[in-house]
Amino acid sequence: MTHKLSLALAAALCVAVPGAAFAHDPAVEAAAPMPANPFFTASTLPYQLPPFDQIQDAHYAPAFEKGMADQRAEIDAIANNPAAPSFDNTIVAMEKTGALLNRTAAVFFNLAGANTNPAMQKVQAEMAPKLAAHQDAIVLDGKLFARIKALYDQRNDLGLDAESVRLLERYHTDFVRAGANLSDADKTTLKAMNAELATLSTTFSQNVLKEVQASGVLVSDVKELDGLSADAITAAAEAAKAAGKEGQYLIALMNTSGQPPLSSLTNRALRKKIMDASLGRNSRGGEFDNRAIVARVAKLRAERAALLGYANHATYVLEDETAGTVGAVNKLLSDLAPAAVANARKEAADMQAIIDAEKGGFALEAADWAFYAEKVRQAKYDFDESQLRPYFEMTSVLENGVFEAAGQLYGLTFKRRTDLPTYHPDVMVYEVFEADGKPLGLFLGDFYARSNKRGGAWMNAYVPQNGLTGTQPVVANHLNIPKPAAGQPTLLTFDEVTTMFHEFGHALHGLFSNVKYPQFAGTSVPRDFVEYPSQVNEMWATWPSILANYAKHYQTGEPIPQALLDKVLAAEQYGQGHATTEYLAAAMLDQSWHQLAANEVPSDTLAFEAQALKSAGLDYAPVPPRYRSTYFSHIMGGYSAGYYAYLWSEVLDAESVEWFKENGGLKRENGDHFRKTLLSRGGSVDAMQLFRDFRGRDPQVGPLLKRRGLEVAPASAQ
Ligand SMILES: [Zn+2]
């Protein structure tokens, strides 16, 4: 997933801020020279890379405070400008506000996910309601909106180019959707709701992270870990030691319902203990319980939607997405559900046959799924993950795989930069160049898991491309690859390889951005469109010439054997029933919570969850939702009513993969076409129009159904 700032306006970054004057106290400085706050001036590093080596936790709060005050003053000047509103003195002027705040937010919110600590968590909790109030003060400023509306009403008579008209429409839409047309009394109510939601969302995400840390499963007898690799056992011993339980073993949990050790642990009782710990997260009482927060957030969002004139929160959200309506999303999800569950049941039958043949004497449960899925996979495809990993050394995957594909498609080259500061020694920095040698931007790779890093994988832009200032992008990818013991190579799973290609697809979207206004830069597209370019980039992970280039044995340099490779590719299809069902269940939960009116929000969170899955036909106990409501961070943060977006995007992805194959696959001509029509356009053109410009027609759902083995369902999208 991508990481987007919660502040719509903060996503637009402007540069060329004048050197910030700040009150100095000579006496204090003489006593204890305090380094200047590095956020107060634009970075002087290449590409305005944040000066990570100078940023301290104590810098964030003052930078946020001054950043909000500066932007407030800039906005006041625009709103109170005695000159009649013009596109330049109002809209372009707004695009240029908030440089300090944007600079601070881009670093802070990303590091709050990637490298947090208690001091940052405190700042996050303190700033969430203040930032929400700051944002509200802008979008609910009556004088400012009057100027925007006056321009909007004559938008086609202002002599503007298409991107500028779209920017004006975007501002008008954003302000209206944020409540600009409400009465003063309703605006006050709305502000209070937004402040409470901001606080609840921060508490929720911090609870999820703390619960992951608190609910790892402790094992005292190493025999119970039978099946785990020696490396995984060492890692569990080290995790226990770090937690003050030396001599024991700690199975750390990942953010999803499913947990990786379940595929190899032979001890069924331990498997069940781990699964129970995972599924029970944030709903077992105690200080990290999120049940009441989930219900309260659903109620507040429903009330806010009603205030803004919408039937429910999902209707409000989807109006601004390519999906458009609740009906369109419900149709995609419910059309696919029966076929997905039927496929999962077929997969379960194969597993139950193994359990019965082994005289196991039990019915397959969620905790057993990964273990027996691995057995079926080995029986059907005759290989296991450990045979593959020696061919997937991390740096080779990145440089000889991900970068090589970008080189052949787009002519890019990459140069490692070890001279630039980072926030953690594991972060790798590369400078990216065009085919003709012109610099394009910086790419940061932060690939290893840490206990202070949130789960999953994501991309963010520290510095978005900006056509007004000529600023080039600085983008980053974040993964959670377990770090090997010192001196050992980092060998990836096939999933991790795919994720690396996926996240780099987002990075390309950011790097290729070539728009005038920062509002439209890079990944500033609808949520149900943003996953599409990154999903397309996954196709190169298994493209034969790319794979041959990166998948070499880390010790011998031997290429991956063709027979093993064939099995890997065949096995890719295996497990689609489980994957699609757990995804659909989570997507349906997200919609269920957000399609409620305020008076329908239940008090019993888990009972509602169970009922919602049952009504959707997705209450198949061996396949729990990928996330349960109480640890579903996507929907409490930026993806509320938007988790369906991955599948929606995949319709476009599957179509585009077909296009590349029809047109000769991996070649410059094809890459250049994708870049020119779509990857470089950001949000400057309607998203579905971008797709049509690239593909030459509207999307069809067939390729997706084929890929996921769902062709029996009479489904359609669009
Ligand atoms: Zn993504």
Side-chain angles (χ1 to χ4, degrees):
M1 65 180 286
T2 53
H3 177 80
K4 286 181 120 179
L5 300 179
S6 54
L7 297 161
L9 294 180
L13 183 136
C14 304
V15 179
V17 68
F22 210 57
H24 291 278
D25 182 334
V28 172
E29 290 190 351
M34 174 73 181
N37 192 315
F39 288 112
F40 286 179
T41 48
S43 166
T44 55
L45 291 171
Y47 303 89
Q48 301 187 28
L49 177 75
F52 292 112
D53 53 342
Q54 294 170 39
I55 297 170
Q56 298 167 11
D57 293 335
H59 292 138
Y60 291 119
F64 272 121
E65 297 286 3
K66 181 164 165 45
M68 286 188 279
D70 284 2
Q71 190 176 32
R72 188 62 247 169
E74 290 162 343
I75 293 287
D76 283 345
I78 296 169
N80 296 310
N81 187 344
S86 71
F87 183 74
D88 276 343
N89 76 18
T90 303
I91 304 297
V92 176
M94 286 191 67
E95 283 286 279
K96 293 178 177 171
T97 67
L100 168 57
L101 180 58
N102 292 336
R103 215 159 41 219
T104 308
V107 172
F108 179 80
F109 286 112
N110 192 53
L111 294 190
N115 203 40
T116 193
N117 62 45
M120 291 182 74
Q121 287 172 335
K122 191 162 167 274
V123 172
Q124 195 177 8
E126 282 169 9
M127 287 301 151
K130 289 187 185 181
L131 288 166
H134 171 71
Q135 176 75 357
D136 279 344
I138 295 173
V139 292
L140 300 178
D141 182 322
K143 278 194 213 164
L144 184 62
F145 181 61
R147 295 179 74 89
I148 294 169
K149 181 150 191 335
L151 293 165
Y152 174 79
D153 288 343
Q154 45 174 326
R155 62 192 177 284
N156 295 319
D157 305 321
L158 297 172
L160 300 174
D161 60 64
E163 186 176 339
S164 299
V165 172
R166 186 170 165 82
L167 182 68
L168 178 48
E169 289 171 348
R170 188 68 252 169
Y171 268 89
H172 183 260
T173 302
D174 285 347
F175 273 64
V176 170
R177 283 173 56 78
N181 280 327
L182 295 180
S183 71
D184 285 348
D186 284 349
K187 282 181 181 174
T188 304
T189 307
L190 185 72
K191 286 177 189 171
M193 288 174 173
N194 285 341
E196 188 180 351
L197 279 166
T199 297
L200 288 169
S201 154
T202 304
T203 309
F204 181 95
S205 65
Q206 293 188 356
N207 281 349
V208 169
L209 185 63
K210 288 172 186 168
E211 178 82 302
V212 163
Q213 289 163 354
S215 57
V217 174
L218 206 56
V219 172
S220 45
D221 185 351
V222 73
K223 283 188 201 129
E224 287 187 59
L225 299 180
D226 181 50
L228 281 193
S229 69
D231 287 352
I233 292 173
T234 305
E238 282 170 7
K241 189 178 171 189
K245 306 279 183 188
E246 187 157 10
Q248 301 189 63
Y249 305 87
L250 184 64
I251 308 282
L253 297 184
M254 304 276 286
N255 61 330
T256 50
S257 294
Q259 299 295 328
L262 296 177
S263 66
S264 51
L265 284 169
T266 61
N267 185 315
R268 185 162 192 252
L270 179 58
R271 288 203 304 264
K272 288 176 81 152
K273 202 169 165 186
I274 292 169
M275 196 74 205
D276 287 348
S278 178
L279 294 177
R281 273 177 289 157
N282 305 102
S283 64
R284 57 194 177 107
E287 56 180 326
F288 309 137
D289 198 315
N290 276 336
R291 282 174 295 182
I293 293 179
V294 170
R296 179 68 187 149
V297 166
K299 193 168 167 63
L300 274 169
R301 283 176 176 162
E303 286 172 352
R304 184 175 61 181
L307 192 66
L308 292 167
Y310 295 85
N312 52 56
H313 181 68
T315 303
Y316 167 76
V317 167
L318 295 173
E319 178 195 64
D320 207 33
E321 300 294 323
T322 72
T325 64
V326 164
V329 172
N330 288 351
K331 177 162 167 45
L332 179 72
L333 300 180
S334 58
D335 278 354
L336 300 187
V341 175
N343 286 352
R345 286 182 185 277
K346 268 186 244 160
E347 290 166 11
D350 286 345
M351 298 181 214
Q352 190 66 49
I354 294 181
I355 294 169
D356 295 347
E358 292 175 350
K359 307 217 179 306
F362 60 88
L364 180 83
E365 292 180 19
D368 305 314
W369 191 288
F371 185 74
Y372 289 95
E374 184 60 23
K375 285 199 174 201
V376 172
R377 203 159 66 94
Q378 285 181 27
K380 279 197 173 176
Y381 306 105
D382 189 31
F383 78 92
D384 65 51
E385 194 75 46
S386 63
Q387 286 177 277
L388 277 180
R389 293 180 57 181
Y391 296 97
F392 298 151
E393 191 278 316
M394 185 172 80
T395 306
S396 179
V397 173
L398 180 67
E399 296 185 351
N400 305 323
V402 173
F403 290 172
E404 177 66 22
Q408 293 193 34
L409 283 164
Y410 310 107
L412 300 184
T413 57
F414 300 81
K415 184 177 157 221
R416 180 85 190 262
R417 294 282 303 254
T418 52
D419 56 321
L420 298 172
T422 59
Y423 54 88
H424 190 284
D426 288 342
V427 177
M428 302 194 285
V429 183
Y430 290 87
E431 187 169 8
V432 188
F433 299 91
E434 299 273 20
D436 63 4
K438 279 193 194 128
L440 181 64
L442 283 183
F443 170 73
L444 278 61
D446 175 7
F447 297 121
Y448 288 118
R450 288 185 289 273
S451 64
N452 64 345
K453 191 181 197 178
R454 72 178 167 86
W458 71 96
M459 167 271 192
N460 74 297
Y462 282 107
V463 181
Q465 180 262 338
N466 185 336
L468 291 175
T469 56
T471 308
Q472 293 183 292
V474 177
V475 302
N477 279 175
H478 304 269
L479 273 68
N480 267 285
I481 295 168
K483 193 173 178 181
Q488 295 300 306
T490 305
L491 304 178
L492 308 190
T493 66
F494 188 58
D495 266 1
E496 288 163 348
V497 170
T498 308
T499 301
M500 199 175 254
F501 277 86
H502 174 100
E503 293 306 329
F504 196 73
H506 289 306
L508 288 173
H509 207 177
L511 286 166
F512 285 150
S513 179
N514 185 19
V515 298
K516 186 169 179 186
Y517 301 112
Q519 181 82 224
F520 293 140
T523 54
S524 305
V525 295
R527 279 187 309 209
D528 60 4
F529 191 81
V530 75
E531 292 302 325
Y532 149 52
S534 52
Q535 288 169 342
V536 171
N537 205 55
E538 292 176 28
M539 74 180 286
W540 310 116
T542 53
W543 197 259
S545 64
I546 294 297
L547 207 129
N549 199 58
Y550 75 80
K552 292 181 179 160
H553 197 284
Y554 78 98
Q555 285 165 319
T556 65
E558 291 289 314
I560 188 168
Q562 188 62 41
L564 178 58
L565 184 56
D566 289 344
K567 287 172 191 168
V568 173
L569 298 179
E572 263 200 42
Q573 283 300 316
Y574 180 71
Q576 285 297 321
H578 180 275
T580 307
T581 300
E582 70 161 5
Y583 168 81
L584 286 175
M588 202 60 106
L589 275 184
D590 171 29
Q591 289 301 320
S592 300
W593 279 111
H594 293 121
Q595 291 181 15
L596 295 172
N599 63 1
E600 296 168 339
V601 174
S603 55
D604 187 337
T605 296
L606 297 188
F608 174 78
E609 180 179 293
Q611 183 54 45
L613 292 173
K614 191 162 190 282
S615 324
L618 289 160
D619 58 333
Y620 179 47
V623 185
R626 188 169 167 79
Y627 304 94
R628 297 191 72 189
S629 309
T630 53
Y631 52 86
F632 201 167
S633 298
H634 297 76
I635 69 165
M636 286 296 129
Y639 266 65
S640 65
Y643 194 64
Y644 77 96
Y646 290 90
L647 197 67
W648 194 271
S649 294
E650 203 181 325
V651 173
L652 307 179
D653 158 34
E655 275 273 69
S656 302
V657 168
E658 293 287 298
W659 180 89
F660 272 102
K661 288 180 178 169
E662 285 165 14
N663 288 278
L666 185 78
K667 54 181 193 182
R668 264 302 290 281
E669 196 186 339
N670 289 346
D672 286 348
H673 177 64
F674 195 36
R675 174 177 179 174
K676 180 163 178 275
T677 54
L678 202 141
L679 290 177
S680 62
R681 304 312 311 144
S684 66
V685 176
D686 171 73
M688 291 315 292
Q689 186 56 45
L690 292 178
F691 177 82
R692 283 188 286 269
D693 291 346
F694 164 68
R695 185 68 176 96
R697 59 165 169 77
D698 282 332
Q700 296 167 3
V701 78
L704 169 80
L705 299 183
K706 186 169 169 223
R707 176 193 287 187
R708 286 194 172 244
L710 298 170
E711 285 160 305
V712 293
S716 64
Q718 293 305 301

